[in-house]
Amino acid sequence: MSASLNTPSRLKRLVPAPLRRAAKNTRSNWKLRRAVRRIAGLPPGHIPTVEMLNDLQTGWGNEGYAARTDFLQEVAKKAVTTVGPILECGSGLTTILFGLLAGRRGVKTYSLEHISEWRTRVNQTLQRFQLPKTLVYLCPLREYDGFDWYDPPLATLPKEFDLVICDGPPGETRGGRYGLLPVLGERLPPGAVILLDDTERAGEAEVLHRWAAQFNIKISQRQTLTGSFAVITRERTFASTDATRSRLKELDDSDSLPPLTSIVIPAYNVAPYIGETLDSVFAQTFTDYEVILVNDGSSDTDELERALEPYAGRLRYLTQENAGASVARNQGLRAARGEFIAFLDADDLWRPNYLEEQLKFLREHKCDLVCADAMIFGDSPDAGRTYMEWLMDAAPPAGEVTFLDLVRGERSLITSGIVARRKLILEVGLFDEALRNAQDFDLWLRLARHGARLAYHRRLLLRYRCRQNSLTGDATNSIAREFRVFDKIEQSYNLTAAERAEVSPVIRDRRAALQFELGKLLLAQGELERARAAFASASNLGRSWKMMAALWFSRLAPSLMQSLYLRRMQNASAR
């Protein structure tokens, strides 16, 4: 190596060690502050980038012991989606991440730490950045039968945890991390997830082997360039299908006092999701309700009923041949006994205060139907946004919803966020069973025209799972559904002359706008003839310069227009 290349190292050795340490600490603190600020500034539901996690890791320090970036990515994914309490075995960098991502959503993390000085450092960092809902307990290691593990404060810990991060105690502890399931396994219900780090090491591999032999778990190994970890899920204990079905139907003839609220859940091929959905229902702070689940002829009925078995005795289970969500919801409505109906799709999730806040709003605002806002998650470019940001961004924090608001598209109500008076739904004739889609939009319109007071508020009280396979395909179907409802309004609503004079121009404008959007979607998909037809319809209905320009450009330069719209859609998906 040349002398010139060695010069920085020589100069560095001239700087006193305390000064070098001070400079290093200053840089680490700056990186930590920057990482915390950037992660705290993410919209709810968004996962930090690798760069943010690397900055957090560098700023935290603890070289050789801090969690790896690949593991932190998995922790972050779980932190933005987990609904119930989180347990952390060992504290440190992941504790900070949970405070930033889970604590801000109101989800509590309970950390077990056996080193007093380390607990002090973690707590000081939590206090410094004011990270909420995160508790670090000092739990010395104690002897158990054949292993050592934390001595947790069982009386103060939650009865159930949805997620466990198992990154302690140290591997050299007798039995390593094995003690988690023998000591706290009963607090991990079916569906709970454990993240076990460092599974490339012999000690953790042995822990996995022992757990698999002794407990009902499913293990998924994740191998990366820097190490490995395991995602472990507590499995449900399944009864036979016939026995399960019998137990699920025990409540059908219940003669108890009617509840205030009936929760109606249509279920079609949702076995992988239904446990999480029901857990969110049974975690409600308001408890005067009944749950009615209607199996709409699911092809996964055996799996669904096995997934429902742990909830037997807590819900009413009805079945029907596959006929669509409108028929399933109507069967639930006819069986319901509550004054209010709360609709919930079988893959969406309520926050624990959902029913309490919705019923409070109905009471205080003297309305007949209320809709709350929902966080979008799952397979969608809009994941991390809220439903009302997506569809009614300019709307105020709360307000009434009129018939014309709905027709114009200025207000949009999400079914899983609706609580309404059952009597009025029965009076307007339930859901239209002839509509396989958009039956909820049609029902809100009929309720509004019937004189019911509809309202919304932008309280974020639920999570809406998006399982679409294609953004353009889903949007195209959504537009087609709205057209069918507009046809019904004009043909079947028996509008008076005055009502028709008011509604018809609104529907014409909406048809023009929807045809214009349909044209863009079809153009992006390469269906040029259908796109031109949609632009022509939009131009005939709306006669705006934008619609006329789209029609002419689709004729003169279709390839250019297609690439332009595709680029816009890709940019929107990336945001």
Side-chain angles (χ1 to χ4, degrees):
M1 182 178 291
S2 68
S4 60
L5 291 176
N6 244 344
T7 300
S9 298
R10 291 176 178 176
L11 290 175
K12 188 175 180 181
R13 285 198 293 269
L14 294 177
V15 179
L19 194 58
R20 291 203 304 271
R21 285 195 297 270
K24 182 179 179 180
N25 288 338
T26 299
R27 178 170 175 77
S28 293
N29 284 330
W30 175 80
K31 282 209 166 191
L32 183 62
R33 284 197 306 272
R34 184 178 75 166
V36 168
R37 184 174 65 251
R38 293 175 70 191
I39 295 172
L42 290 171
H46 278 232
I47 299 169
T49 64
V50 172
E51 179 195 0
M52 293 177 189
L53 294 174
N54 283 336
D55 270 0
L56 189 69
Q57 188 181 53
T58 303
W60 179 247
N62 196 35
E63 290 87 348
Y65 293 96
R68 302 182 314 276
T69 304
D70 59 335
F71 187 66
L72 289 178
Q73 286 180 287
E74 189 67 27
V75 169
K77 290 176 185 177
K78 295 292 189 291
V80 300
T81 57
T82 298
V83 175
I86 298 168
L87 174 67
E88 191 183 30
C89 304
S91 64
L93 191 53
T94 51
T95 317
I96 309 306
L97 200 55
F98 280 128
L100 286 166
L101 299 176
R104 289 167 58 218
R105 297 190 299 110
V107 177
K108 278 191 174 183
T109 298
Y110 300 79
S111 295
L112 311 180
E113 178 54 59
H114 70 291
I115 301 174
S116 177
E117 295 80 8
W118 188 253
R119 173 178 179 258
T120 299
R121 180 192 171 184
V122 174
N123 273 331
Q124 286 173 345
T125 305
L126 293 171
Q127 293 164 12
R128 172 185 171 192
F129 294 111
Q130 299 181 325
L131 301 182
K133 305 289 184 181
T134 309
L135 303 173
V136 184
Y137 292 97
L138 183 60
C139 303
L141 302 182
R142 55 163 281 199
E143 291 186 6
Y144 292 85
D145 186 13
F147 61 91
D148 295 340
W149 205 67
Y150 301 104
D151 189 8
L154 297 177
T156 59
L157 291 178
K159 297 299 181 186
E160 290 188 346
F161 290 99
D162 282 6
L163 174 67
V164 180
I165 305 302
C166 194
D167 197 21
E172 62 269 17
T173 303
R174 186 174 63 122
R177 297 166 186 174
Y178 168 75
L180 168 64
L181 288 182
V183 177
L184 287 176
E186 64 181 15
R187 302 201 182 196
L188 306 183
V193 172
I194 304 167
L195 298 184
L196 177 66
D197 198 10
D198 305 320
T199 53
E200 74 279 4
R201 300 195 307 218
E204 277 62 43
E206 174 62 20
V207 167
L208 269 184
H209 178 75
R210 293 178 68 187
W211 281 354
Q214 298 173 25
F215 301 96
N216 192 19
I217 59 175
K218 177 183 177 182
I219 299 172
S220 173
Q221 287 272 24
R222 308 287 174 86
Q223 184 72 43
T224 71
L225 293 175
T226 56
S228 65
F229 60 91
V231 180
I232 304 157
T233 308
R234 287 302 304 265
E235 295 277 67
R236 301 182 186 278
T237 302
F238 296 142
S240 70
T241 301
D242 289 343
T244 297
R245 190 168 297 140
S246 175
R247 291 186 63 205
L248 288 170
K249 293 187 175 181
E250 285 176 0
L251 284 183
D252 284 358
D253 297 322
S254 172
D255 59 358
S256 60
L257 290 174
L260 183 64
T261 303
S262 297
I263 301 167
V264 174
I265 306 174
Y268 179 73
N269 291 351
V270 289
Y273 309 103
I274 192 61
E276 191 177 8
T277 296
L278 289 174
D279 286 344
S280 79
V281 169
F282 292 118
Q284 292 298 299
T285 54
F286 175 87
T287 58
D288 187 13
Y289 60 79
E290 65 177 350
V291 180
I292 303 170
L293 188 141
V294 184
N295 180 352
D296 181 30
S298 298
S299 60
D300 67 349
T301 288
D302 288 348
E303 292 85 354
L304 175 68
E305 291 178 349
R306 286 196 294 266
L308 293 177
E309 196 277 335
Y311 307 96
R314 302 171 72 187
L315 57 81
R316 302 171 67 191
Y317 176 64
L318 310 177
T319 60
Q320 64 180 38
E321 295 297 320
N322 178 242
S326 56
V327 179
R329 289 193 181 106
N330 284 347
Q331 185 180 175
L333 279 162
R334 294 186 184 100
R337 300 175 299 144
E339 178 183 351
F340 295 97
I341 295 292
F343 296 108
L344 178 61
D345 286 349
D347 55 355
D348 293 339
L349 307 172
W350 284 343
R351 292 194 168 178
N353 60 335
Y354 175 83
L355 286 177
E356 182 179 350
E357 293 294 333
Q358 292 284 76
L359 292 167
K360 178 182 176 183
F361 188 97
L362 284 167
R363 183 175 62 252
E364 292 180 350
H365 293 80
K366 296 180 173 58
C367 52
D368 302 305
L369 177 151
V370 63
C371 180
D373 201 0
M375 176 63 67
I376 301 169
F377 75 111
D379 182 20
S380 168
D382 291 300
R385 301 174 66 188
T386 77
Y387 183 82
M388 292 183 186
E389 284 174 346
W390 178 35
L391 291 176
M392 41 190 281
D393 192 39
E400 290 195 28
V401 179
T402 67
F403 179 80
L404 284 179
D405 287 337
L406 292 167
V407 176
R408 290 190 186 104
E410 294 175 355
R411 301 291 181 266
S412 184
L413 308 180
I414 182 169
T415 308
S416 290
I418 295 288
V419 178
R421 296 185 190 277
R422 180 170 64 100
K423 178 176 179 289
L424 292 176
I425 296 174
L426 296 176
E427 287 177 0
V428 300
L430 307 176
F431 289 94
D432 185 346
E433 297 183 359
L435 292 173
R436 292 282 291 198
N437 297 303
Q439 68 273 24
D440 47 355
F441 180 35
D442 169 62
L443 179 59
W444 317 146
L445 286 166
R446 286 186 284 120
L447 283 168
R449 190 160 178 265
H450 186 65
R453 289 194 62 203
L454 279 58
Y456 73 93
H457 59 149
R458 299 184 75 151
R459 290 290 305 277
L460 197 57
L461 296 178
L462 65 146
R463 300 179 64 227
Y464 166 61
R465 189 189 304 270
C466 193
R467 291 191 284 145
Q468 62 193 43
N469 295 320
S470 161
L471 178 62
T472 55
D474 186 74
T476 304
N477 291 334
S478 176
I479 289 171
R481 291 195 292 267
E482 289 200 49
F483 283 152
R484 283 195 289 272
V485 175
F486 292 149
D487 289 342
K488 181 178 177 181
I489 293 171
E490 293 179 319
Q491 297 167 14
S492 307
Y493 270 37
N494 296 320
L495 300 174
T496 66
E499 288 174 328
R500 191 171 296 279
E502 187 177 28
V503 171
S504 292
V506 175
I507 291 180
R508 185 179 63 248
D509 290 345
R510 283 292 291 155
R511 284 187 186 277
L514 289 169
Q515 286 285 8
F516 183 64
E517 292 302 316
L518 179 61
K520 291 192 291 185
L521 291 166
L522 291 170
L523 190 66
Q525 296 174 44
E527 299 190 41
L528 301 183
E529 289 301 321
R530 291 182 63 198
R532 291 189 193 104
F535 286 136
S537 295
S539 181
N540 290 334
L541 290 165
R543 288 291 174 185
S544 75
W545 69 266
K546 185 185 293 187
M547 294 173 182
M548 293 179 69
L551 175 60
W552 281 104
F553 271 108
S554 68
R555 290 171 176 170
L556 297 173
S559 298
L560 178 62
M561 274 193 79
Q562 182 184 15
S563 62
L564 176 64
Y565 282 132
L566 278 172
R567 190 177 302 116
R568 286 184 178 178
M569 292 174 67
Q570 289 166 355
N571 290 339
S573 298
R575 285 198 292 269

